[in-house]
Amino acid sequence: MNPSIIPLFFIFLTILVPITYAQEDCPTIIKNALSTTDSACQTTGRNQACYGNNSLNVTTRTDAASVIFEHTGDIADVAEIESLRLSSLNSDSGDWGIALMNLQANLPNTLPGQNVRFLLFGDVNIENAGSTIPTTLEMTAVGNANVRQGPTTRDKVIATLKRGDAVTAVARLADDSWVQINLPDDSEAMGWVSAPLLQSTVDISTLDVFDATKSHFGPMQAFYFSTGIDDAPCQQAPDSGILIQTPKGAGRVNLVANEVNIQLGSTVYLQAQPGAEMIISVLEGHASVESGGVVVTVPAGSRARVPVDNRSAASGPPVGPESYLNADLAALPVGNLETVITIAPALTEAEIETAINNLLIPRSGVWNITNLQTDCSGSISREPLVFTFSSDGTTMSYLQYTLQRTGPGVYELDSEDKISWHNTWHFSTPESGEWETIRYVQPCSIHGAAAFAP
């Protein structure tokens, strides 16, 4: 070898060898970090966060108790966490930040063992936008009372109270006309009752005034987040992000991420870059994404993108659904979720359209409609109602009427055979037995729950 090039050769080696080691170390770091998290976080309970792998920085809420969240296996209540900052992979130190959270979200208390699983990894920053614990007041129903989704008689009835039922009030309107309560069978879900229908030994003025401009979700049910993008340090590592999985058979879960409303019964992968966009990739099941007054249905094998401002807050309607790239998702740690899944292959544009249509075709046969509520001036005379869907989902029979499917989840009567109310029915997620109807001619809505009759 020419003596003059020997120094250059050694310089080349000093550069190449660390790079080679780093590439070899990366898969090992990823594997060990995930294994460590699995082992250390097995006892994480409902509405708790677990420190999975180095390194994480936590900021606690000002009214929180002393929180120890510094080492692998440390567990804290999410209500006490203001924000979490995770680290991207550092091959020198072996760090790759991972955190795990189990959230009740809007799941009922009757499902105590079922939680929404969050798995955060890599360069992720998440801020809790859920409400803090409000001032509460114990109240009693003075008679039968409807609990509504909002503080008007036009809002959907979501529960009923009987005379003597005890409830916990958490807020009021400024004029004291309506009171917000925790639902009797679900302390995490809330509804509204007309104030004269409730009584208490304490004046309701002690309650906080409801502020519609503020989030009223439970801890981490609403959040802001940002992640690294295209930052996987090796082929065996995923890009930074958040995996969210809802429990099987628990119905739809509502979350608000970066002011984007997301309804899901599925596994999704979230990424967001401030000043650019937020990406919601649906790996199995399907999700609804709402921003700027626009709602899109996103089936497995596709994604939606939402523009965000420099604070990561949504700044426009969603784009999509559109196909995602299989290669971008191949390394996601889905094996570390509560339910191990197979990531759905990317759909073509035609397959996405077909999937959306199929999502809203109810199972053929007879459905019994129960718990019917109405915001119309009239009353519903039949309960339960019975609908029958054709095998191809193109028609729905109700009483002496036959309705035609005019779009995903939408059935209408022929224009010459309209009746004054319920002539258009809008179904949502019929495979889980949930639906709602909207009056076609005048502002009026009917809501209920549907169950397939075998």
Side-chain angles (χ1 to χ4, degrees), residues 31-380:
K31 180 180 179 181
N32 290 342
L34 291 169
S35 177
T36 296
T37 300
D38 264 354
S39 191
C41 296
Q42 290 183 5
T43 60
T44 307
R46 172 171 274 189
N47 293 324
Q48 290 186 327
C50 176
Y51 192 121
N53 192 72
N54 290 339
S55 64
L56 311 181
N57 290 318
V58 63
T59 302
T60 59
R61 292 191 156 179
T62 55
D63 56 348
S66 178
V67 176
I68 299 176
F69 204 72
E70 301 173 349
H71 305 288
T72 295
D74 285 347
I75 292 175
D77 291 337
V78 293
E80 298 181 328
I81 294 175
E82 182 68 33
S83 66
L84 281 176
R85 177 75 194 189
L86 286 67
S87 68
S88 55
L89 188 138
N90 185 324
S91 295
D92 293 333
S93 63
D95 289 346
W96 188 53
I98 305 180
L100 181 145
M101 294 191 296
N102 284 334
L103 303 183
Q104 178 174 359
N106 60 316
L107 297 173
N109 283 332
T110 52
L111 301 173
Q114 295 186 318
N115 302 293
V116 181
R117 172 66 59 89
F118 279 53
L119 185 65
L120 303 80
F121 44 89
D123 179 14
V124 176
N125 185 45
I126 186 168
E127 298 178 16
N128 194 347
S131 58
T132 56
I133 299 174
T135 302
T136 60
L137 180 64
E138 298 306 312
M139 304 191 76
T140 305
V142 298
N144 294 339
N146 287 329
V147 183
R148 296 181 179 272
Q149 225 168 28
T152 74
T153 55
R154 298 185 303 275
D155 285 291
K156 177 182 178 180
V157 175
I158 56 177
T160 56
L161 301 177
K162 296 179 180 179
R163 180 183 177 87
D165 282 351
V167 295
T168 300
V170 296
R172 62 186 171 90
L173 291 187
D175 63 0
D176 294 342
S177 59
W178 287 79
V179 174
Q180 188 181 43
I181 68 166
N182 289 327
L183 296 189
D185 61 345
D186 187 350
S187 62
E188 295 294 324
M190 297 181 183
W192 289 88
V193 178
S194 179
L197 300 179
L198 297 173
Q199 66 180 6
S200 174
T201 57
V202 180
D203 195 286
I204 65 170
S205 62
T206 58
L207 292 170
D208 296 331
V209 174
F210 179 82
D211 184 350
T213 66
K214 294 182 179 180
S215 169
H216 292 272
F217 290 88
M220 286 296 182
Q221 190 179 342
F223 57 93
Y224 292 92
F225 80 103
S226 62
T227 69
I229 300 290
D230 297 328
D231 63 344
C234 62
Q235 186 177 1
Q236 295 83 356
D239 292 330
S240 300
I242 304 174
L243 282 173
I244 302 177
Q245 184 178 71
T246 62
K248 294 289 186 183
R252 310 287 280 165
V253 171
N254 299 312
L255 299 170
V256 178
N258 293 343
E259 300 181 13
V260 176
N261 294 305
I262 304 175
Q263 187 183 75
L264 65 156
S266 55
T267 304
V268 300
Y269 171 48
L270 303 184
Q271 296 175 287
Q273 188 172 33
E277 63 183 7
M278 170 181 166
I279 304 172
I280 306 100
S281 300
V282 180
L283 311 183
E284 62 95 20
H286 68 281
S288 296
V289 176
E290 179 183 5
S291 177
V294 176
V295 181
V296 297
T297 299
V298 189
S302 67
R303 69 181 190 177
R305 295 179 291 116
V306 180
V308 296
D309 61 22
N310 291 329
R311 299 184 303 111
S312 292
S315 58
V319 176
E322 61 187 18
S323 181
Y324 53 48
L325 296 177
N326 291 324
D328 291 345
L329 310 176
L332 288 175
V334 293
N336 294 79
L337 295 171
E338 187 75 16
T339 301
V340 178
I341 66 162
T342 299
I343 297 174
L347 300 179
T348 64
E349 185 175 342
E351 288 171 335
I352 291 174
E353 183 177 356
T354 299
I356 292 174
N357 285 333
N358 289 340
L359 283 173
L360 294 176
I361 297 179
R363 182 178 173 185
S364 63
V366 177
W367 289 69
N368 291 323
I369 312 302
T370 58
N371 301 323
L372 204 61
Q373 304 291 342
T374 177
D375 294 335
C376 310
S377 57
S379 60
I380 302 300

